[in-house]
């Protein structure tokens, strides 16, 4: 639902989808994440922004263990994650992720990219997987491209395939790691439109992005990071319009 200002209305969120407690990560001597703590509610749209090297992509990749961290705890729906088999199962069942560089299999068609996880991981029949994948491809406006290969698509089309592939696993949480940063400017809108439609469904979303207009329209809260720390957290009308910290103001002067 939209508010009178054009912003998606904040959902009534009570359950914690992701809890991050004092997360610390080092690359050698470089302290990338410094005591990062954050709660993300079920159904919440959270946008993480900040300058390059601030730790935002490392943070989002730590949520599903694509990055190791040395200290702290990440919990998903109350279940602390570790490196055990059960945690990997929780991650696969609850989280989908969209990367900045699409990560599609070039030798598979669009449809095959979307059905691979359904047939291999969920043991779905090929017929049912095809029906589900086509429904999702239609949802993002590219069902007519199902028989093409990734190399025959534009960047925006490839990213929409990647979103469909993640949605096919029916995740409760979607993670986006700068999904538009590799796109030409004219292709950015088509991907953001898909993400805006997804936000309207009540999906829990954590998005690392520099698209501040997207954050203003969609986010329930915006997180600003710098030098591995969370500097400021709040609704977009606070963080993006009336930031409290000079470091946030300096960043916004360059991106707004």
């Amino acid at each position: 639902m939209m508010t009178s200002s054009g912003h998606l209305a904040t959902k009534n969120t009570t359950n914690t989808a992701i809890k991050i407690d004092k997360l610390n990560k080092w690359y050698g001597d470089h302290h990338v994440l410094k005591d990062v703590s954050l709660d993300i509610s079920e159904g919440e749209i959270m946008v993480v922004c900040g300058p390059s090297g601030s730790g935002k992509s490392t943070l989002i990749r730590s949520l599903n263990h694509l990055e190791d961290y040395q200290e702290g705890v990440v919990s998903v729906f109350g279940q602390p994650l570790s490196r055990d088999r059960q945690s990997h199962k929780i991650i696969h069942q609850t989280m989908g992720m969209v990367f900045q560089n699409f990560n599609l299999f070039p030798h598979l068609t669009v449809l095959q990219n979307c059905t691979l996880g359904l047939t291999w991981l969920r043991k779905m029949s090929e017929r049912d997987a095809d029906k589900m994948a086509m429904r999702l491809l239609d949802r993002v406006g590219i069902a007519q491209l199902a028989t093409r290969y990734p190399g025959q698509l534009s960047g925006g089309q490839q990213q929409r395939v990647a979103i469909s592939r993640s949605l096919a696993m029916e995740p409760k949480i979607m993670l986006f790691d700068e999904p538009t940063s590799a796109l030409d400017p004219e292709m950015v809108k088509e991907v953001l439109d898909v993400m805006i439609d997804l936000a309207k469904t009540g999906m829990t979303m954590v998005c690392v992005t520099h698209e501040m207009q997207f954050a203003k329209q969609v986010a329930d809260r915006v997180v600003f990071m710098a030098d591995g720390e969370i500097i400021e957290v709040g609704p977009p009308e606070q963080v993006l319009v009336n930031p409290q910290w000079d470091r946030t103001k300096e960043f916004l002067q360059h991106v707004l």
Side-chain angles (χ1 to χ4, degrees):
M1 184 173 69
M2 305 292 288
T3 65
S4 59
S5 63
H7 179 262
L8 287 173
T10 301
K11 280 75 68 178
N12 291 321
T13 53
T14 53
N15 297 327
T16 299
I18 302 173
K19 183 177 182 64
I20 306 165
D21 187 25
K22 296 183 178 178
L23 211 61
N24 283 275
K25 178 178 175 60
W26 289 265
Y27 288 123
D29 294 331
H30 180 38
H31 200 174
V32 186
L33 297 177
K34 305 172 182 176
D35 275 336
V36 174
S37 294
L38 190 66
D39 286 2
I40 302 164
S41 297
E42 187 173 7
E44 183 172 21
I45 313 298
M46 179 165 284
V47 168
V48 183
C49 63
S52 297
S54 61
K56 55 191 187 296
S57 285
T58 301
L59 174 62
I60 198 171
R61 290 170 63 88
S62 296
L63 301 183
N64 59 0
H65 282 188
L66 290 180
E67 291 278 358
D68 288 320
Y69 44 88
Q70 287 79 21
E71 295 178 359
V73 178
V74 175
S75 300
V76 177
F77 294 108
Q79 179 66 49
L81 300 180
S82 60
R83 280 291 170 186
D84 60 16
R85 192 171 181 177
Q86 179 63 23
S87 292
H88 282 293
K89 184 178 180 181
I90 292 170
I91 290 169
H92 285 306
Q93 289 179 341
T94 60
M95 292 187 185
M97 186 160 188
V98 177
F99 304 87
Q100 53 185 304
N101 291 318
F102 323 135
N103 288 10
L104 300 176
F105 292 107
H107 64 290
L108 300 180
T109 66
V110 165
L111 183 62
Q112 290 168 335
N113 266 280
C114 291
T115 59
L116 190 63
L118 294 174
T119 55
W120 277 79
L121 296 176
R122 296 184 59 183
K123 307 302 181 185
M124 189 178 287
S125 71
E126 186 175 332
R127 180 183 177 185
D128 288 344
D130 284 353
K131 286 173 63 177
M132 184 173 186
M134 287 301 297
R135 188 165 63 247
L136 289 168
L137 290 170
D138 182 62
R139 178 177 172 181
V140 301
I142 53 173
Q144 75 279 9
L145 304 178
T147 59
R148 294 193 186 180
Y149 290 88
Q152 299 173 307
L153 306 182
S154 69
Q157 290 167 340
Q158 289 187 63
Q159 194 61 292
R160 284 188 279 167
V161 175
I163 293 172
S164 297
R165 179 182 59 184
S166 291
L167 290 175
M169 301 305 290
E170 298 185 314
K172 296 180 180 178
I173 301 166
M174 282 287 286
L175 309 176
F176 293 87
D177 186 10
E178 302 200 37
T180 61
S181 65
L183 301 178
D184 293 331
E186 64 269 20
M187 298 177 186
V188 169
K189 184 179 182 298
E190 64 186 66
V191 173
L192 291 180
D193 284 346
V194 171
M195 293 172 65
I196 290 168
D197 286 341
L198 185 59
K200 294 174 184 176
T201 68
M203 171 80 72
T204 305
M205 295 169 60
V206 185
C207 311
V208 172
T209 183
H210 285 105
E211 301 292 339
M212 294 299 99
Q213 292 304 316
F214 169 79
K216 285 182 178 180
Q217 182 176 354
V218 172
D220 295 304
R221 285 190 296 163
V222 174
V223 176
F224 174 71
M225 293 185 68
D227 301 318
E229 298 179 287
I230 292 178
I231 305 299
E232 196 160 348
V233 183
E237 56 268 24
Q238 174 197 313
V239 176
L240 301 181
V241 179
N242 188 31
Q244 305 301 301
W245 296 91
D246 290 341
R247 189 70 183 85
T248 314
K249 295 175 184 177
E250 180 185 346
F251 170 74
L252 292 174
Q253 286 174 355
H254 290 91
V255 297
L256 289 180

